[in-house]
């Protein structure tokens, strides 16, 4: 555990999160700045910075967990696709983002964008639902497992 890691704090119960799954190896919770409603991430409980540094068995567990949760989210939200992203930026704690996709642009490389004068990527343009809204969505997604 790293003392300044928000994901370690969430895993230890010291910081709030809208949890949809937890077990002894990983935790899944909603993103506070989702690209689309219902976006979540799956993290290892142990602090591991890079996804590529995960032991193989833990990486498999995270991917299988994400797959099961994505199926639940798909049944609740009915997106066109479910997308998976590991980019390694943001919080320096391995995490797999799972995004209900309504459009191919929901997951895109900046190299695909043709914008005269450039563009900038910022979280400021993404909605920031309040904790109550996130908790309601987490309950919907957890309920789909039943």
């Amino acid at each position: 555990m790293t003392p300044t890691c928000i994901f370690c704090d969430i895993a230890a119960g010291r910081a709030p999160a809208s949890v949809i799954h937890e077990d002894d190896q990983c935790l899944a919770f909603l993103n506070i700045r989702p690209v689309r409603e219902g976006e979540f991430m799956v993290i290892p409980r142990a602090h591991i910075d890079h996804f590529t540094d995960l032991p193989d068995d833990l990486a498999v567990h995270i991917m299988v967990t994400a797959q099961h949760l994505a199926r639940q989210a798909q049944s609740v939200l009915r997106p066109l696709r479910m997308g998976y992203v590991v980019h390694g930026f943001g919080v320096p704690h391995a995490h797999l983002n799972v995004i209900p996709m309504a459009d191919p642009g929901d997951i895109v490389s900046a190299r695909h964008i043709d914008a005269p004068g450039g563009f900038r990527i910022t979280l400021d343009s993404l909605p920031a639902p309040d904790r109550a809204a996130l908790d309601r969505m987490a309950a919907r997604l957890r309920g789909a497992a039943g």
Side-chain angles (χ1 to χ4, degrees):
M1 180 182 74
T2 300
T4 59
C5 177
I6 186 62
F7 286 179
C8 285
D9 287 343
I10 289 170
R14 293 187 300 267
S18 298
V19 176
I20 61 171
H21 171 84
E22 57 184 314
D23 61 38
D24 61 332
Q25 297 178 69
C26 70
L27 182 71
F29 52 91
L30 293 175
N31 193 326
I32 61 169
R33 292 281 189 166
V35 170
R36 294 284 180 190
E37 182 180 45
E39 177 183 343
F40 63 91
M41 59 190 76
V42 184
I43 68 165
R45 285 191 175 274
H47 182 84
I48 300 171
D49 186 356
H50 298 278
F51 204 87
T52 54
D53 291 336
L54 293 172
D56 292 348
D57 60 335
L58 181 55
V60 168
H61 181 74
I62 287 171
M63 291 300 296
V64 169
T65 298
Q67 182 75 347
H68 289 281
L69 296 173
R71 288 182 188 130
Q72 289 171 212
Q74 193 168 28
S75 73
V76 170
L77 303 171
R78 302 284 186 212
L80 294 177
R81 300 266 183 196
M82 293 299 294
Y84 300 81
V85 176
V86 174
H87 54 63
F89 294 99
V91 177
H93 184 124
H95 54 288
L96 172 64
N97 290 74
V98 182
I99 304 169
M101 296 174 58
D103 179 272
D106 289 341
I107 297 177
V108 67
S109 168
R111 292 176 180 232
H112 293 125
I113 298 171
D114 181 13
F119 70 97
R120 98 185 155 93
I121 297 173
T122 176
L123 291 176
D124 297 338
S125 62
L126 295 174
D130 63 23
R131 178 62 57 203
L134 291 169
D135 288 345
R136 284 191 301 276
M137 175 56 68
R140 285 180 65 199
L141 296 178
R142 282 192 310 270

